[in-house]
Amino acid sequence: MDIDAWLWWLIGATALGIALVVTAMPELGMLAVGAIAAALVAGVFGGEAVAQVVVFAIVSTAGIAVVRPIANRHRAQRPQLATGVDALKGRQAVVLERVDASGGRIKLAGEVWSARALDTDRAYEVGQEVDVVDIEGATAIVM
């Protein structure tokens, strides 16, 4: 049984699509798109094998060249909405129990947190407002 070239390209595109889902590598998706373009050249336009391979190479390379920088830019971008512990950094809190390098308690976002002074030589007294610099586990680091 003789299988047409366009069908081989579609089988290749399907295999690349499955590999994309398994590995989450966007480059494989671009190769799959290139294989679909080569299938179109083979099936619709009746292009020769050389034309199919050239279209596959050009479409795949162009796709990777366009998509990779966009994906890298999105990957490097911080989320616009801070949630969880990240949302508490930079907020102000009120000292409930004296806070120094060895510990203390603060009221942060309506909850009582254990806290420790960032500067080991500083101490913050009850009622004083402090800034939360970082969160380490369940302890707020303040200054």
Side-chain angles (χ1 to χ4, degrees), residues 1-14:
M1 180 156 88
D2 189 24
I3 298 179
D4 291 334
W6 67 269
L7 190 54
W8 282 114
W9 284 110
L10 287 182
I11 291 169
T14 302

Side-chain angles (χ1 to χ4, degrees), residues 88 96 106-113:
L88 299 175
L96 298 177
I106 60 170
K107 187 163 194 165
L108 172 62
E111 297 179 348
V112 177
W113 281 74

Side-chain angles (χ1 to χ4, degrees), residues 10-126:
L10 287 182
I11 291 169
T14 302
L16 287 165
I18 291 169
L20 166 66
V21 171
V22 171
T23 63
M25 291 179 57
E27 292 85 0
L28 294 175
M30 296 303 102
L31 292 174
V33 170
I36 291 171
L40 287 172
V41 168
V44 176
F45 303 113
E48 297 295 320
V50 172
Q52 296 168 30
V53 171
V54 168
V55 167
F56 170 74
I58 290 173
V59 170
S60 297
T61 303
I64 290 171
V66 169
V67 171
R68 180 178 277 160
I70 294 170
N72 286 340
R73 197 170 35 241
H74 282 284
R75 192 177 307 137
Q77 212 173 31
R78 288 185 50 101
Q80 292 180 359
L81 177 63
T83 59
V85 174
D86 290 331
L88 299 175
K89 294 177 185 176
R91 294 192 61 180
Q92 287 193 331
V94 177
V95 176
L96 298 177
E97 294 176 13
R98 185 172 196 259
V99 176
D100 55 20
S102 60
R105 296 249 182 246
I106 60 170
K107 187 163 194 165
L108 172 62
E111 297 179 348
V112 177
W113 281 74
S114 61
R116 181 170 44 87
L118 177 65
D119 185 2
T120 57
D121 297 334
R122 289 281 321 249
Y124 303 97
E125 300 302 327
V126 175

